[in-house]
Amino acid sequence: AAAGRPEKMLQYVWPHVVYHAIRMFPKTNRLCVRLLVLIVTAAIVASPIIVLRLPHSSDYCKEDLVTMGVVLAMTFILMAGLMLCFILMDDVPRYLKRVFHIFGLFSVLFNAVLYMTVRSAEPCKDTTRELYYYLYCVAVAGVVLGVVFFILACFWVYDWLTDGQLLNLRRRSGFCYEPYKACPCVWHV
C-alpha cells in the first residue's frame, strides 16, 4: 500500500490482503491473526468517523467534503463486513466473491469522484483543514492503488486472451509462474 494513510481503495485492498494472509496460517492457529486484523480494521473504520467528528470538519466549504467523508465511512463499514466474512469463512462462496469484486469496482469509481472533488476543494484546506487533508491522503492513496490494479488487470486480460501464456496453473507453466509461486496474492484477486 502507499505511504501515509492508504485508506481509499483500501476498502478493496485490505479485505483482499486479509483473505489471502489468513489462509497462509493453519486453520487451527488463526486466532491471533484474526484478532490483529480486527484491531487494524476497527482503526480503519474509526478513522473517518473521528475526522468527521472534529470541530472544524463541519465548517463551510464550497465542495461537500462532509458528504464524501460520510460515504467513505459507510464504505469502510461495508469493507469491514466483507473482511469479517473472509476471515471467518474457510470456504468463501462464489457469490460473496462476486459481491466483493463489484464492491471493488464501486470503490474505484468512488475514489475517482473523491479525487476530483478533493482536487477542486483546495480552498477548503483553510476552513476544514483536517477533513481536507485526510480525504486528500485517502484519494491519493486510492489513485496509486487504482493504477496498480489497472496494471494487473492488463496482465489478466492478456493472459485470458492468450490462453495462459503468462500463467497456466494446470500445466505449471507460463512467464509468471515462478513469481506467482512466490506471491500468489498479487496475481489473483
Side-chain angles (χ1 to χ4, degrees), residues 65-85:
L65 295 181
V66 174
T67 302
M68 297 303 275
V70 169
V71 173
L72 180 66
M74 292 183 339
T75 59
F76 282 174
I77 292 168
L78 287 171
M79 173 212 65
L82 286 167
M83 192 270 325
L84 190 61
C85 292

Side-chain angles (χ1 to χ4, degrees), residues 22-158:
I22 288 288
R23 280 146 183 82
M24 290 180 181
F25 293 90
K27 288 182 182 182
T28 59
N29 196 17
R30 294 182 181 171
L31 180 63
C32 290
V33 176
R34 286 177 175 160
L35 289 175
L36 177 66
V37 164
L38 288 174
I39 290 168
V40 172
T41 303
I44 292 170
V45 170
S47 63
I49 296 169
I50 291 169
V51 170
L52 284 168
R53 294 196 39 87
L54 292 174
H56 294 292
S57 292
S58 60
D59 288 352
Y60 174 76
C61 175
K62 186 178 113 180
E63 298 294 330
D64 198 4
L65 295 181
V66 174
T67 302
M68 297 303 275
V70 169
V71 173
L72 180 66
M74 292 183 339
T75 59
F76 282 174
I77 292 168
L78 287 171
M79 173 212 65
L82 286 167
M83 192 270 325
L84 190 61
C85 292
F86 289 160
I87 66 170
L88 294 179
M89 295 178 164
D90 285 328
D91 295 323
V92 179
R94 187 174 279 302
Y95 74 87
L96 189 57
K97 290 179 182 179
R98 285 186 183 137
V99 167
F100 175 63
H101 291 303
I102 292 168
F103 177 72
L105 179 62
F106 168 77
S107 298
V108 170
L109 296 175
F110 175 70
N111 186 63
V113 171
L114 177 66
Y115 183 76
M116 289 184 286
T117 302
V118 171
R119 291 279 301 187
S120 66
E122 194 163 327
C124 298
K125 66 181 173 184
D126 296 329
T127 58
T128 59
R129 185 174 186 85
E130 296 88 358
L131 181 61
Y132 173 80
Y133 283 113
Y134 176 76
L135 292 177
Y136 183 80
C137 290
V138 168
V140 169
V143 167
V144 170
L145 292 171
V147 168
V148 169
F149 274 100
F150 176 75
I151 291 169
L152 283 174
C154 292
F155 281 106
W156 297 325
V157 169
Y158 178 78

Side-chain angles (χ1 to χ4, degrees), residues 164-178:
Q165 283 186 352
L166 288 178
L167 179 64
N168 191 325
L169 293 176
R170 288 189 182 129
R171 288 185 276 173
R172 296 183 183 184
S173 65
F175 181 74
C176 294
Y177 182 69
E178 290 299 320

